Amino acid sequence: METVERNAKEAFARHRVKRAGDLTARSLALSELQEALDLPDAPLRIECMDVSHVQGTNVVASMVVFEDGLAKKSDYRRFQVAQGTDDTAAMAEVVRRRFARHLKDEEDRRDEQGVAAEEGRARRFAYPPNLLVVDGGQPQVAAAARSMSELGITDVAVCGLAKRMEEVWLPDDPDPVILPRTSEALYLLQRVRDEAHRFAITYHRQKRSAGMLVSLLDDVPGLGDTRRKALMKEFGSLKRLRAASVEDLTRVPGIGRRTAEAVLSAVGEEPPPPTRPRLGMMAARQSRRPPEPPRDRAARRGRRPDRRRPGRRHPDRRRRAR
């Protein structure tokens, strides 16, 4: 079953790559999306944002960019959310920061000679998207639209893709847009949403692992802030630090052999996950057998059970009666 599952995942991944690289499918997806969302132009640049956290801790967000239906990883961005403790507040903060930076970059691109904003080299957030997709439903879409309205951004369309029913939500629209399950537009939105979710989850795990590493290194004797930051910069995660040896740690500036041994002793070994003992073939068959019915009293006492018909007298008793 594991081999079948792995083969199915690999075949599905190859199918997704082949479908994403099809120029005709990408053009059809953009035209369907323009028609379904009533956009003035085809969304050639799509940005998607997602928020990741665990019960309001280590709140982070991600922004992925798709141009012409393909991912542009050089424009991906990650955000550390300081104020938002839930998805709605965090989404509003991230959208506000992204477009505030866009407005600032637009102002910085105009030099003293009055060069137009369309000329010159673009900066990190200089290009606004044609469509902003948020991972969530109506509350997340309303929060993103409110942040953009506060900044005066009116030329960027906003929509949200809910996970449960794959519904597309628009601002100030009480009913969602239902795209056909086989449409290329829905497939493109799902790829954008899934990529933003993957990017956010990866960053959240890195930040949580780094927090665990800092807490474990607090009590190590002889390890100050400078050395702790050097270890964090070199290894980055608790998993990589546990896999390192004493010689690997001593290569970090300021870490001696005694300090390296103390660090490895502090982080310790990760306990292995509990595994069920493997049973042999006969034991496995016996474990699958149904329970035997309870035996009668004679069998429990070790005697042969009486198989006579009920009501029939024993021959010795019959002779005695005569």
Side-chain angles (χ1 to χ4, degrees):
M1 289 301 295
E2 295 179 359
T3 305
V4 173
E5 183 180 359
R6 184 174 60 253
N7 293 340
K9 289 182 178 179
E10 293 178 356
F12 182 65
R14 290 194 298 268
H15 172 71
R16 293 185 64 178
V17 172
K18 181 179 179 181
R19 189 175 180 182
D22 190 356
L23 179 61
T24 305
R26 298 202 314 266
S27 302
L28 180 60
L30 295 176
S31 60
E32 288 181 356
L33 203 56
Q34 177 186 358
E35 182 180 358
L37 303 183
D38 196 15
L39 302 177
D41 300 314
L44 300 180
R45 181 182 173 95
I46 302 176
E47 295 182 1
C48 183
M49 295 186 175
D50 186 22
V51 177
S52 178
H53 63 89
V54 175
Q55 296 180 356
T57 60
N58 295 326
V59 185
V60 297
S62 66
M63 185 189 81
V64 299
V65 180
F66 274 61
E67 287 188 354
D68 297 330
L70 293 177
K72 189 178 181 181
K73 296 189 177 182
S74 60
D75 288 357
Y76 284 15
R77 296 293 178 264
R78 302 182 301 186
F79 301 88
Q80 292 188 16
V81 183
Q83 299 178 358
T85 57
D86 57 350
D87 291 349
T88 305
M91 185 63 69
E93 178 186 344
V94 172
V95 172
R96 188 183 305 109
R97 288 168 55 184
R98 186 262 178 270
F99 285 98
R101 183 62 181 271
H102 161 63
L103 296 178
K104 184 178 182 301
D105 286 351
E106 284 291 326
E107 295 178 358
D108 293 343
R109 289 180 61 194
R110 299 180 182 272
D111 56 12
E112 296 178 357
Q113 286 77 21
V115 178
E118 288 78 9
E119 301 176 5
R121 186 177 179 181
R123 297 194 180 184
R124 296 177 61 185
F125 293 101
Y127 288 125
N130 302 109
L131 176 64
L132 177 65
V133 182
V134 298
D135 184 11
Q138 193 173 18
Q140 287 78 12
V141 174
R146 184 170 59 254
S147 297
M148 295 173 60
S149 178
E150 293 174 357
L151 296 174
I153 305 295
T154 58
D155 56 346
V156 177
V158 186
C159 73
L161 183 62
K163 294 179 182 178
R164 190 170 66 90
M165 300 297 294
E166 302 294 351
E167 302 168 338
V168 181
W169 290 90
L170 300 176
D172 302 327
D173 197 343
D175 299 323
V177 178
I178 306 298
L179 297 176
R181 289 287 180 175
T182 58
S183 67
E184 294 292 336
L186 179 60
Y187 176 71
L188 177 59
L189 288 180
Q190 288 175 339
R191 283 202 301 124
V192 173
R193 189 266 316 274
D194 294 344
E195 179 68 5
H197 183 69
R198 181 199 65 80
F199 197 49
I201 284 291
T202 303
Y203 183 40
H204 172 75
R205 289 174 179 172
Q206 292 176 357
K207 188 176 180 182
R208 186 176 58 183
S209 178
M212 293 175 59
L213 179 57
V214 170
S215 62
L216 288 176
L217 297 179
D218 286 341
D219 299 332
V220 176
L223 192 65
D225 294 337
T226 304
R227 295 180 179 180
R228 190 182 303 116
K229 291 179 181 179
L231 286 175
M232 290 288 300
K233 184 178 180 181
E234 180 68 23
F235 297 97
S237 65
L238 182 61
K239 182 179 180 181
R240 293 182 59 186
L241 185 59
R242 279 174 173 164
S245 62
V246 177
E247 289 73 16
D248 296 334
L249 268 66
T250 53
R251 297 191 185 101
V252 179
I255 303 297
R257 187 173 186 85
R258 182 176 298 178
T259 305
E261 293 175 353
V263 168
L264 292 180
S265 177
V267 296
E269 291 290 338
E270 187 177 7
T275 57
R276 296 180 58 186
R278 297 188 61 181
L279 301 177
M281 185 177 296
M282 295 301 297
R285 290 179 179 177
Q286 292 178 1
S287 63
R288 291 194 296 265
R289 288 180 181 177
E292 298 181 357
R295 295 178 296 179
D296 56 1
R297 184 178 301 177
R300 286 198 300 267
R301 292 180 178 177
R303 298 197 304 266
R304 185 176 179 180
D306 190 2
R307 302 185 182 275
R308 294 174 299 171
R309 288 181 296 177
R312 185 177 178 181
R313 298 182 64 181
H314 197 274
D316 296 339
R317 297 181 180 178
R318 202 182 312 156
R319 285 195 297 269
R320 291 174 186 175
R322 290 176 185 173

